[in-house]
């Protein structure tokens, strides 16, 4: 199967070449997609669309070209930072908040697993699935905060994938509008994965929504197309972290399928609500070769006057 990113690159280069041929004052001029003139026109177009790649992505010209290729046709997802902070999300405006410090501690371990010595022992170590035993324990909130926190790194980029195709919640959690996403790509309604990979107003953060529901979700997520796409995201760009928001583990087969693609799992448990048997059963449904950690959500801090909701990350002890 031809590399999806390469196909997207070729497709967009051909479109840019056609635009150059039809542009006023350019009649009869057919520059190569790799020529300096073609690159300059593409760069100017992307500037006007406010789709400049991040500093981290600038290190990878092919990556920047690929993932900004469709941005002139796709508006950015614009996160409302002040509203997100009011809802308790990680601050992206430089404020030193407790939740920022907590997610810094969590992400440090995840990044160490993803890019440190242990990474050699994990398959797709930079692919992190965020899940829970039961619904409504805070997994999407945790996945979004991890993505926001990692996006603040100086040398990392983040792709947030909503793979909870049964009950997608990433866009609603972040206050964003629905668009075509992962399911349309897996069903073949969208030819290239780049067509459902959306930029945001954080240069280092991109989002793939879940898309529409289909009764074949398990089969589509277990497909070779999905397998090759995740492997490509994991291995093509060495500075990329992929955060996958997956369905709960208990009673849903899709999560067990997705666990085969990720090198790490973050299991969110709600203090005072999650049952020990549910946690044990959840772990049994994960790939035993994964690095697994836990985030205790809604842990009330007695030192806070308002009842602070905190987070704690710990590794599984085999």
């Amino acid at each position: 199967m031809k590399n999806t990113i390469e196909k997207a690159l070729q497709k967009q280069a051909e479109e840019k070449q056609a635009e150059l041929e039809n542009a006023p004052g350019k009649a009869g001029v057919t520059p190569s997609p790799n020529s300096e003139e073609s690159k300059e026109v593409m760069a100017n177009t992307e500037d006007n669309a406010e789709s400049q790649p991040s500093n981290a992505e600038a290190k990878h010209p092919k990556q920047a070209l690929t993932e900004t290729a469709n941005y002139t046709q796709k508006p950015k997802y614009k996160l409302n930072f002040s509203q997100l902070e009011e809802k308790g999300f990680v601050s992206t405006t430089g404020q030193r908040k407790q939740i920022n410090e907590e997610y810094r501690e969590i992400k440090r371990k995840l990044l160490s697993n993803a890019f440190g010595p242990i990474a050699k022992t994990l398959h797709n170590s930079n692919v992190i699935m965020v899940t829970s035993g039961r619904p409504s324990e805070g997994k999407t909130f945790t996945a979004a905060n991890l993505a926001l926190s990692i996006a603040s790194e100086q040398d990392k980029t983040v792709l947030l994938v909503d793979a909870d195709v049964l009950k997608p919640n990433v866009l609603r959690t972040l206050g964003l509008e629905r668009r075509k996403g992962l399911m349309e790509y897996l069903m073949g309604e969208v030819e290239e994965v780049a067509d459902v990979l959306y930029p945001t107003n954080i240069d280092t953060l991109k989002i793939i929504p879940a898309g529409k529901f289909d009764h074949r979700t398990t089969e589509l997520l277990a497909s070779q197309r999905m397998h090759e796409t995740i492997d490509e995201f994991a291995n093509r760009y060495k500075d990329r972290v992929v955060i996958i928001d997956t369905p709960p583990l208990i009673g849903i087969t899709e999560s067990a399928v997705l666990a085969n693609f990720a090198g790490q799992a973050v299991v969110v448990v709600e203090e005072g609500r999650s049952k020990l048997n549910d946690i044990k059963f959840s772990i049994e449904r994960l790939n035993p070769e994964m690095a697994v950690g836990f985030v205790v959500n809604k842990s009330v801090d007695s030192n806070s006057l308002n009842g602070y909701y905190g987070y704690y990350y710990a590794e599984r002890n085999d």
Side-chain angles (χ1 to χ4, degrees), residues 42-57:
M42 182 174 291
N44 291 337
T45 303
E46 291 171 355
D47 285 343
N48 294 334
E50 297 183 356
S51 57
Q52 286 290 344
S54 67
N55 291 335
E57 288 173 336

Side-chain angles (χ1 to χ4, degrees), residues 158-177:
V158 185
L159 174 61
L160 176 59
V161 182
D162 190 350
D164 190 351
V165 293
L166 299 176
K167 191 178 178 181
N169 202 27
V170 167
L171 297 183
R172 187 180 69 83
T173 297
L174 293 174
L176 304 172
E177 71 276 9

Side-chain angles (χ1 to χ4, degrees), residues 106-123:
I106 296 172
K107 76 175 176 181
R108 289 269 75 83
K109 185 60 180 178
L110 294 171
L111 292 176
S112 177
N113 289 344
F115 303 102
I118 196 176
K120 297 178 181 179
T121 69
L122 301 173
H123 175 64

